[in-house]
Amino acid sequence: CRVSSAIADPYKTLRIRPDASESEVKTAFRKLALQYHPDVCRGNNCTVQFHQINEAYAAVMNHLREEETSAEESDGDEASVNDSEWDLWEEWMGWEGAGIRDYSSHINPYI
C-alpha cells in the first residue's frame, strides 16, 4: 500500500503549523482548494494537487477530532457507574434495588 505525500505530511501540504487550530486548518484548506480547484486552476498538476489538499485536510481534521475526543475522555467529567453522583441518580430514578423502596407516594391517584 502506497502512502501519498499528502498523508505523509498533511501540515506541509496545507502550509500550516502542526499546532494550528481547527479554524486555521479550515481557512488554509479553503484558500488552497480555491487556488487548485480543477475548474479554476489551469496548470497540468492541478487535479493531483487538489486531491492531495483534500487528503491532507481530511487527515488533519481527523487528527484534531481524535485529540478532542481523547481530551474529553481524560477530563473525567463524564458520569461513570462507579461515580457517587451516578448512585444518587439511580436511587432517584428508582433503578437500583427496585422493589425494595416504597414508591407508592409517587402514584398519581387520578389515573
Side-chain angles (χ1 to χ4, degrees):
C1 180
R2 184 178 169 261
V3 176
S4 73
S5 61
I7 299 300
D9 194 355
Y11 298 96
K12 186 175 179 181
T13 301
L14 293 175
R15 302 173 190 161
I16 57 174
R17 298 179 326 277
D19 63 342
S21 69
E22 185 173 334
S23 176
E24 291 171 321
V25 173
K26 288 179 179 182
T27 300
F29 168 72
R30 287 184 190 118
K31 180 181 174 186
L32 291 169
L34 286 172
Q35 182 180 351
Y36 289 102
H37 193 279
D39 291 343
V40 177
C41 185
R42 299 290 175 220
N44 295 333
N45 205 21
C46 292
T47 304
V48 172
Q49 284 282 82
F50 187 71
H51 181 70
Q52 288 177 345
I53 291 164
N54 280 305
E55 284 183 1
Y57 176 72
V60 171
M61 291 304 288
N62 284 337
H63 180 71
L64 286 173
R65 289 183 184 120
E66 287 172 4
E67 282 182 346
E68 186 177 299
T69 302
S70 66
E72 288 174 0
E73 289 173 357
S74 66
D75 282 346
D77 291 337
E78 298 177 30
S80 72
V81 283
N82 297 323
D83 189 359
S84 63
E85 289 182 20
W86 179 258
D87 293 338
L88 291 172
W89 173 253
E90 282 188 327
E91 183 178 343
W92 185 77
M93 292 299 292
W95 295 337
E96 182 81 14
I100 297 173
R101 294 176 182 86
D102 179 16
Y103 292 106
S104 59
S105 63
H106 295 91
I107 299 172
N108 186 346
Y110 301 106
I111 296 179

